[in-house]
PDB file of all heavy atoms in Angstrom:
ATOM      1  N   LEU G   1      -2.463  -6.864   0.422  1.00 90.00           N
ATOM      2  CA  LEU G   1      -1.948  -5.507   0.588  1.00 90.00           C
ATOM      3  C   LEU G   1      -1.698  -5.255   2.117  1.00 90.00           C
ATOM      4  O   LEU G   1      -0.675  -4.555   2.454  1.00 90.00           O
ATOM      5  CB  LEU G   1      -2.974  -4.479   0.100  1.00 90.00           C
ATOM      6  CG  LEU G   1      -2.589  -3.015   0.089  1.00 90.00           C
ATOM      7  CD1 LEU G   1      -1.520  -2.761  -0.964  1.00 90.00           C
ATOM      8  CD2 LEU G   1      -3.779  -2.189  -0.191  1.00 90.00           C
ATOM      9  N   GLU G   2      -2.579  -5.707   2.939  1.00 88.00           N
ATOM     10  CA  GLU G   2      -2.425  -5.499   4.393  1.00 88.00           C
ATOM     11  C   GLU G   2      -1.149  -6.080   4.949  1.00 88.00           C
ATOM     12  O   GLU G   2      -0.555  -5.578   5.876  1.00 88.00           O
ATOM     13  CB  GLU G   2      -3.672  -6.086   5.107  1.00 88.00           C
ATOM     14  CG  GLU G   2      -3.674  -5.827   6.607  1.00 88.00           C
ATOM     15  CD  GLU G   2      -4.991  -6.374   7.232  1.00 88.00           C
ATOM     16  OE1 GLU G   2      -5.732  -7.092   6.545  1.00 88.00           O
ATOM     17  OE2 GLU G   2      -5.149  -6.123   8.438  1.00 88.00           O
ATOM     18  N   ASP G   3      -0.720  -7.220   4.374  1.00 90.00           N
ATOM     19  CA  ASP G   3       0.520  -7.919   4.800  1.00 90.00           C
ATOM     20  C   ASP G   3       1.729  -7.009   4.556  1.00 90.00           C
ATOM     21  O   ASP G   3       2.598  -6.867   5.388  1.00 90.00           O
ATOM     22  CB  ASP G   3       0.675  -9.238   4.143  1.00 90.00           C
ATOM     23  CG  ASP G   3      -0.438 -10.197   4.404  1.00 90.00           C
ATOM     24  OD1 ASP G   3      -0.997 -10.135   5.457  1.00 90.00           O
ATOM     25  OD2 ASP G   3      -0.763 -10.989   3.508  1.00 90.00           O
ATOM     26  N   LEU G   4       1.747  -6.364   3.383  1.00 91.00           N
ATOM     27  CA  LEU G   4       2.868  -5.456   3.040  1.00 91.00           C
ATOM     28  C   LEU G   4       2.772  -4.241   3.937  1.00 91.00           C
ATOM     29  O   LEU G   4       3.855  -3.741   4.362  1.00 91.00           O
ATOM     30  CB  LEU G   4       2.709  -5.051   1.575  1.00 91.00           C
ATOM     31  CG  LEU G   4       3.771  -4.072   1.054  1.00 91.00           C
ATOM     32  CD1 LEU G   4       5.254  -4.610   1.266  1.00 91.00           C
ATOM     33  CD2 LEU G   4       3.554  -3.737  -0.438  1.00 91.00           C
ATOM     34  N   ALA G   5       1.655  -3.703   4.158  1.00 89.00           N
ATOM     35  CA  ALA G   5       1.499  -2.516   5.071  1.00 89.00           C
ATOM     36  C   ALA G   5       1.985  -2.811   6.435  1.00 89.00           C
ATOM     37  O   ALA G   5       2.683  -2.013   7.057  1.00 89.00           O
ATOM     38  CB  ALA G   5       0.034  -2.046   5.083  1.00 89.00           C
ATOM     39  N   ARG G   6       1.636  -4.003   6.931  1.00 88.00           N
ATOM     40  CA  ARG G   6       2.081  -4.377   8.295  1.00 88.00           C
ATOM     41  C   ARG G   6       3.607  -4.545   8.377  1.00 88.00           C
ATOM     42  O   ARG G   6       4.254  -4.134   9.323  1.00 88.00           O
ATOM     43  CB  ARG G   6       1.371  -5.690   8.712  1.00 88.00           C
ATOM     44  CG  ARG G   6       1.612  -6.100  10.132  1.00 88.00           C
ATOM     45  CD  ARG G   6       0.922  -7.391  10.503  1.00 88.00           C
ATOM     46  NE  ARG G   6      -0.481  -7.319  10.298  1.00 88.00           N
ATOM     47  CZ  ARG G   6      -1.147  -8.011   9.339  1.00 88.00           C
ATOM     48  NH1 ARG G   6      -0.454  -8.816   8.451  1.00 88.00           N
ATOM     49  NH2 ARG G   6      -2.476  -7.921   9.233  1.00 88.00           N
ATOM     50  N   MET G   7       4.177  -5.120   7.290  1.00 88.00           N
ATOM     51  CA  MET G   7       5.605  -5.327   7.285  1.00 88.00           C
ATOM     52  C   MET G   7       6.378  -3.968   7.244  1.00 88.00           C
ATOM     53  O   MET G   7       7.415  -3.841   7.866  1.00 88.00           O
ATOM     54  CB  MET G   7       5.960  -6.157   6.051  1.00 88.00           C
ATOM     55  CG  MET G   7       7.540  -6.314   5.860  1.00 88.00           C
ATOM     56  SD  MET G   7       7.911  -7.342   4.427  1.00 88.00           S
ATOM     57  CE  MET G   7       7.380  -8.948   5.095  1.00 88.00           C
ATOM     58  N   MET G   8       5.798  -3.023   6.545  1.00 88.00           N
ATOM     59  CA  MET G   8       6.448  -1.700   6.443  1.00 88.00           C
ATOM     60  C   MET G   8       5.990  -0.734   7.561  1.00 88.00           C
ATOM     61  O   MET G   8       6.363   0.429   7.571  1.00 88.00           O
ATOM     62  CB  MET G   8       6.134  -1.118   5.093  1.00 88.00           C
ATOM     63  CG  MET G   8       6.638  -1.906   3.955  1.00 88.00           C
ATOM     64  SD  MET G   8       6.538  -1.097   2.319  1.00 88.00           S
ATOM     65  CE  MET G   8       7.697   0.232   2.594  1.00 88.00           C
ATOM     66  N   ASN G   9       5.231  -1.260   8.508  1.00 86.00           N
ATOM     67  CA  ASN G   9       4.777  -0.449   9.653  1.00 86.00           C
ATOM     68  C   ASN G   9       4.056   0.832   9.252  1.00 86.00           C
ATOM     69  O   ASN G   9       4.337   1.929   9.775  1.00 86.00           O
ATOM     70  CB  ASN G   9       5.973  -0.166  10.525  1.00 86.00           C
ATOM     71  CG  ASN G   9       5.523   0.299  11.905  1.00 86.00           C
ATOM     72  OD1 ASN G   9       4.500  -0.069  12.433  1.00 86.00           O
ATOM     73  ND2 ASN G   9       6.333   1.118  12.560  1.00 86.00           N
ATOM     74  N   THR G  10       3.172   0.680   8.275  1.00 85.00           N
ATOM     75  CA  THR G  10       2.347   1.809   7.829  1.00 85.00           C
ATOM     76  C   THR G  10       1.002   1.338   7.536  1.00 85.00           C
ATOM     77  O   THR G  10       0.720   0.140   7.605  1.00 85.00           O
ATOM     78  CB  THR G  10       3.019   2.498   6.597  1.00 85.00           C
ATOM     79  OG1 THR G  10       2.278   3.653   6.301  1.00 85.00           O
ATOM     80  CG2 THR G  10       3.016   1.578   5.410  1.00 85.00           C
ATOM     81  N   ASN G  11       0.049   2.214   7.166  1.00 83.00           N
ATOM     82  CA  ASN G  11      -1.295   1.765   6.876  1.00 83.00           C
ATOM     83  C   ASN G  11      -1.503   1.535   5.415  1.00 83.00           C
ATOM     84  O   ASN G  11      -0.749   2.019   4.581  1.00 83.00           O
ATOM     85  CB  ASN G  11      -2.342   2.787   7.422  1.00 83.00           C
ATOM     86  CG  ASN G  11      -2.296   4.102   6.694  1.00 83.00           C
ATOM     87  OD1 ASN G  11      -2.545   4.162   5.439  1.00 83.00           O
ATOM     88  ND2 ASN G  11      -2.033   5.207   7.411  1.00 83.00           N
ATOM     89  N   ARG G  12      -2.495   0.723   5.115  1.00 83.00           N
ATOM     90  CA  ARG G  12      -2.665   0.283   3.731  1.00 83.00           C
ATOM     91  C   ARG G  12      -3.180   1.408   2.768  1.00 83.00           C
ATOM     92  O   ARG G  12      -3.020   1.299   1.596  1.00 83.00           O
ATOM     93  CB  ARG G  12      -3.710  -0.830   3.703  1.00 83.00           C
ATOM     94  CG  ARG G  12      -5.021  -0.565   4.297  1.00 83.00           C
ATOM     95  CD  ARG G  12      -5.923  -1.792   4.206  1.00 83.00           C
ATOM     96  NE  ARG G  12      -7.196  -1.498   4.880  1.00 83.00           N
ATOM     97  CZ  ARG G  12      -7.452  -1.820   6.140  1.00 83.00           C
ATOM     98  NH1 ARG G  12      -6.429  -2.265   6.924  1.00 83.00           N
ATOM     99  NH2 ARG G  12      -8.622  -1.583   6.693  1.00 83.00           N
ATOM    100  N   THR G  13      -3.599   2.542   3.354  1.00 85.00           N
ATOM    101  CA  THR G  13      -3.951   3.683   2.532  1.00 85.00           C
ATOM    102  C   THR G  13      -2.722   4.237   1.769  1.00 85.00           C
ATOM    103  O   THR G  13      -2.723   4.509   0.624  1.00 85.00           O
ATOM    104  CB  THR G  13      -4.636   4.783   3.369  1.00 85.00           C
ATOM    105  OG1 THR G  13      -5.779   4.269   3.988  1.00 85.00           O
ATOM    106  CG2 THR G  13      -5.035   5.930   2.422  1.00 85.00           C
ATOM    107  N   TYR G  14      -1.620   4.342   2.560  1.00 87.00           N
ATOM    108  CA  TYR G  14      -0.386   4.782   1.975  1.00 87.00           C
ATOM    109  C   TYR G  14       0.091   3.848   0.906  1.00 87.00           C
ATOM    110  O   TYR G  14       0.513   4.257  -0.157  1.00 87.00           O
ATOM    111  CB  TYR G  14       0.651   4.909   3.070  1.00 87.00           C
ATOM    112  CG  TYR G  14       0.610   6.159   3.897  1.00 87.00           C
ATOM    113  CD1 TYR G  14      -0.386   7.109   3.718  1.00 87.00           C
ATOM    114  CD2 TYR G  14       1.584   6.377   4.868  1.00 87.00           C
ATOM    115  CE1 TYR G  14      -0.413   8.281   4.466  1.00 87.00           C
ATOM    116  CE2 TYR G  14       1.544   7.532   5.659  1.00 87.00           C
ATOM    117  CZ  TYR G  14       0.505   8.504   5.449  1.00 87.00           C
ATOM    118  OH  TYR G  14       0.516   9.635   6.202  1.00 87.00           O
ATOM    119  N   ILE G  15       0.082   2.528   1.257  1.00 90.00           N
ATOM    120  CA  ILE G  15       0.565   1.483   0.282  1.00 90.00           C
ATOM    121  C   ILE G  15      -0.315   1.533  -0.974  1.00 90.00           C
ATOM    122  O   ILE G  15       0.183   1.456  -2.121  1.00 90.00           O
ATOM    123  CB  ILE G  15       0.532   0.104   0.925  1.00 90.00           C
ATOM    124  CG1 ILE G  15       1.383   0.065   2.196  1.00 90.00           C
ATOM    125  CG2 ILE G  15       0.959  -0.914  -0.041  1.00 90.00           C
ATOM    126  CD1 ILE G  15       2.832   0.263   1.986  1.00 90.00           C
ATOM    127  N   TYR G  16      -1.612   1.615  -0.762  1.00 87.00           N
ATOM    128  CA  TYR G  16      -2.564   1.603  -1.894  1.00 87.00           C
ATOM    129  C   TYR G  16      -2.231   2.821  -2.828  1.00 87.00           C
ATOM    130  O   TYR G  16      -2.180   2.686  -4.058  1.00 87.00           O
ATOM    131  CB  TYR G  16      -3.927   1.693  -1.350  1.00 87.00           C
ATOM    132  CG  TYR G  16      -4.989   2.062  -2.409  1.00 87.00           C
ATOM    133  CD1 TYR G  16      -5.499   1.078  -3.267  1.00 87.00           C
ATOM    134  CD2 TYR G  16      -5.472   3.343  -2.593  1.00 87.00           C
ATOM    135  CE1 TYR G  16      -6.429   1.387  -4.258  1.00 87.00           C
ATOM    136  CE2 TYR G  16      -6.378   3.699  -3.551  1.00 87.00           C
ATOM    137  CZ  TYR G  16      -6.855   2.672  -4.350  1.00 87.00           C
ATOM    138  OH  TYR G  16      -7.772   2.986  -5.379  1.00 87.00           O
ATOM    139  N   GLN G  17      -2.081   3.954  -2.236  1.00 88.00           N
ATOM    140  CA  GLN G  17      -1.806   5.201  -3.079  1.00 88.00           C
ATOM    141  C   GLN G  17      -0.468   5.098  -3.786  1.00 88.00           C
ATOM    142  O   GLN G  17      -0.372   5.533  -4.936  1.00 88.00           O
ATOM    143  CB  GLN G  17      -1.915   6.430  -2.172  1.00 88.00           C
ATOM    144  CG  GLN G  17      -3.307   6.719  -1.618  1.00 88.00           C
ATOM    145  CD  GLN G  17      -3.324   7.954  -0.647  1.00 88.00           C
ATOM    146  OE1 GLN G  17      -2.286   8.353  -0.157  1.00 88.00           O
ATOM    147  NE2 GLN G  17      -4.496   8.380  -0.419  1.00 88.00           N
ATOM    148  N   ALA G  18       0.491   4.611  -3.092  1.00 89.00           N
ATOM    149  CA  ALA G  18       1.845   4.518  -3.687  1.00 89.00           C
ATOM    150  C   ALA G  18       1.853   3.567  -4.926  1.00 89.00           C
ATOM    151  O   ALA G  18       2.387   3.900  -5.925  1.00 89.00           O
ATOM    152  CB  ALA G  18       2.824   4.005  -2.669  1.00 89.00           C
ATOM    153  N   ILE G  19       1.172   2.414  -4.846  1.00 91.00           N
ATOM    154  CA  ILE G  19       1.172   1.453  -5.878  1.00 91.00           C
ATOM    155  C   ILE G  19       0.168   1.871  -7.015  1.00 91.00           C
ATOM    156  O   ILE G  19       0.528   1.906  -8.175  1.00 91.00           O
ATOM    157  CB  ILE G  19       0.792   0.042  -5.337  1.00 91.00           C
ATOM    158  CG1 ILE G  19       1.860  -0.466  -4.415  1.00 91.00           C
ATOM    159  CG2 ILE G  19       0.602  -0.936  -6.486  1.00 91.00           C
ATOM    160  CD1 ILE G  19       1.592  -1.787  -3.730  1.00 91.00           C
ATOM    161  N   ASN G  20      -1.027   2.208  -6.571  1.00 88.00           N
ATOM    162  CA  ASN G  20      -2.063   2.489  -7.638  1.00 88.00           C
ATOM    163  C   ASN G  20      -1.890   3.871  -8.234  1.00 88.00           C
ATOM    164  O   ASN G  20      -2.136   4.011  -9.438  1.00 88.00           O
ATOM    165  CB  ASN G  20      -3.474   2.434  -7.005  1.00 88.00           C
ATOM    166  CG  ASN G  20      -3.878   0.972  -6.762  1.00 88.00           C
ATOM    167  OD1 ASN G  20      -4.614   0.391  -7.578  1.00 88.00           O
ATOM    168  ND2 ASN G  20      -3.454   0.364  -5.671  1.00 88.00           N
ATOM    169  N   GLN G  21      -1.548   4.870  -7.470  1.00 86.00           N
ATOM    170  CA  GLN G  21      -1.476   6.217  -8.027  1.00 86.00           C
ATOM    171  C   GLN G  21      -0.110   6.591  -8.557  1.00 86.00           C
ATOM    172  O   GLN G  21       0.025   7.160  -9.591  1.00 86.00           O
ATOM    173  CB  GLN G  21      -1.924   7.249  -6.971  1.00 86.00           C
ATOM    174  CG  GLN G  21      -3.401   7.039  -6.520  1.00 86.00           C
ATOM    175  CD  GLN G  21      -3.809   8.001  -5.472  1.00 86.00           C
ATOM    176  OE1 GLN G  21      -3.132   8.972  -5.157  1.00 86.00           O
ATOM    177  NE2 GLN G  21      -4.987   7.717  -4.879  1.00 86.00           N
ATOM    178  N   GLN G  22       0.917   6.217  -7.807  1.00 86.00           N
ATOM    179  CA  GLN G  22       2.270   6.631  -8.281  1.00 86.00           C
ATOM    180  C   GLN G  22       2.860   5.643  -9.217  1.00 86.00           C
ATOM    181  O   GLN G  22       3.477   6.053 -10.225  1.00 86.00           O
ATOM    182  CB  GLN G  22       3.196   6.703  -7.015  1.00 86.00           C
ATOM    183  CG  GLN G  22       2.807   7.896  -6.071  1.00 86.00           C
ATOM    184  CD  GLN G  22       3.791   8.128  -4.921  1.00 86.00           C
ATOM    185  OE1 GLN G  22       4.935   7.758  -5.020  1.00 86.00           O
ATOM    186  NE2 GLN G  22       3.305   8.668  -3.887  1.00 86.00           N
ATOM    187  N   MET G  23       2.651   4.359  -8.984  1.00 90.00           N
ATOM    188  CA  MET G  23       3.132   3.302  -9.996  1.00 90.00           C
ATOM    189  C   MET G  23       2.201   3.147 -11.162  1.00 90.00           C
ATOM    190  O   MET G  23       2.582   2.741 -12.225  1.00 90.00           O
ATOM    191  CB  MET G  23       3.334   1.969  -9.231  1.00 90.00           C
ATOM    192  CG  MET G  23       4.475   1.955  -8.196  1.00 90.00           C
ATOM    193  SD  MET G  23       4.658   0.301  -7.569  1.00 90.00           S
ATOM    194  CE  MET G  23       5.843   0.621  -6.216  1.00 90.00           C
ATOM    195  N   GLY G  24       0.950   3.427 -10.925  1.00 90.00           N
ATOM    196  CA  GLY G  24      -0.097   3.275 -11.922  1.00 90.00           C
ATOM    197  C   GLY G  24      -0.533   1.848 -12.269  1.00 90.00           C
ATOM    198  O   GLY G  24      -0.998   1.564 -13.358  1.00 90.00           O
ATOM    199  N   ILE G  25      -0.354   0.947 -11.268  1.00 92.00           N
ATOM    200  CA  ILE G  25      -0.743  -0.431 -11.453  1.00 92.00           C
ATOM    201  C   ILE G  25      -1.500  -0.921 -10.179  1.00 92.00           C
ATOM    202  O   ILE G  25      -1.454  -0.208  -9.172  1.00 92.00           O
ATOM    203  CB  ILE G  25       0.439  -1.337 -11.743  1.00 92.00           C
ATOM    204  CG1 ILE G  25       1.517  -1.253 -10.588  1.00 92.00           C
ATOM    205  CG2 ILE G  25       1.078  -1.013 -13.050  1.00 92.00           C
ATOM    206  CD1 ILE G  25       2.657  -2.168 -10.730  1.00 92.00           C
ATOM    207  N   THR G  26      -2.087  -2.073 -10.225  1.00 92.00           N
ATOM    208  CA  THR G  26      -2.790  -2.630  -9.084  1.00 92.00           C
ATOM    209  C   THR G  26      -1.728  -3.424  -8.265  1.00 92.00           C
ATOM    210  O   THR G  26      -0.697  -3.819  -8.715  1.00 92.00           O
ATOM    211  CB  THR G  26      -3.860  -3.548  -9.480  1.00 92.00           C
ATOM    212  OG1 THR G  26      -3.394  -4.702 -10.221  1.00 92.00           O
ATOM    213  CG2 THR G  26      -4.956  -2.807 -10.322  1.00 92.00           C
ATOM    214  N   PHE G  27      -2.104  -3.765  -7.043  1.00 93.00           N
ATOM    215  CA  PHE G  27      -1.236  -4.570  -6.137  1.00 93.00           C
ATOM    216  C   PHE G  27      -1.074  -5.913  -6.778  1.00 93.00           C
ATOM    217  O   PHE G  27       0.017  -6.486  -6.712  1.00 93.00           O
ATOM    218  CB  PHE G  27      -1.913  -4.689  -4.778  1.00 93.00           C
ATOM    219  CG  PHE G  27      -1.184  -5.537  -3.755  1.00 93.00           C
ATOM    220  CD1 PHE G  27       0.012  -5.212  -3.352  1.00 93.00           C
ATOM    221  CD2 PHE G  27      -1.746  -6.771  -3.410  1.00 93.00           C
ATOM    222  CE1 PHE G  27       0.751  -6.018  -2.423  1.00 93.00           C
ATOM    223  CE2 PHE G  27      -1.025  -7.600  -2.502  1.00 93.00           C
ATOM    224  CZ  PHE G  27       0.149  -7.183  -2.026  1.00 93.00           C
TER     225      PHE G  27
END
């Protein structure tokens, strides 16, 4: 997950919330 966050220049909290909460699935 950290690799994707680094590529998108954001923190993994945002990525985690977008995937887990908005998409409803795990990374």
Side-chain angles (χ1 to χ4, degrees):
L1 182 72
E2 186 177 5
D3 299 327
L4 177 58
R6 188 181 299 111
M7 175 177 289
M8 299 191 64
N9 196 29
T10 185
N11 66 61
R12 56 182 176 270
T13 302
Y14 279 2
I15 302 295
Y16 167 82
Q17 291 176 346
I19 295 177
N20 284 263
Q21 297 178 13
Q22 295 186 25
M23 295 185 186
I25 56 178
T26 64
F27 177 68

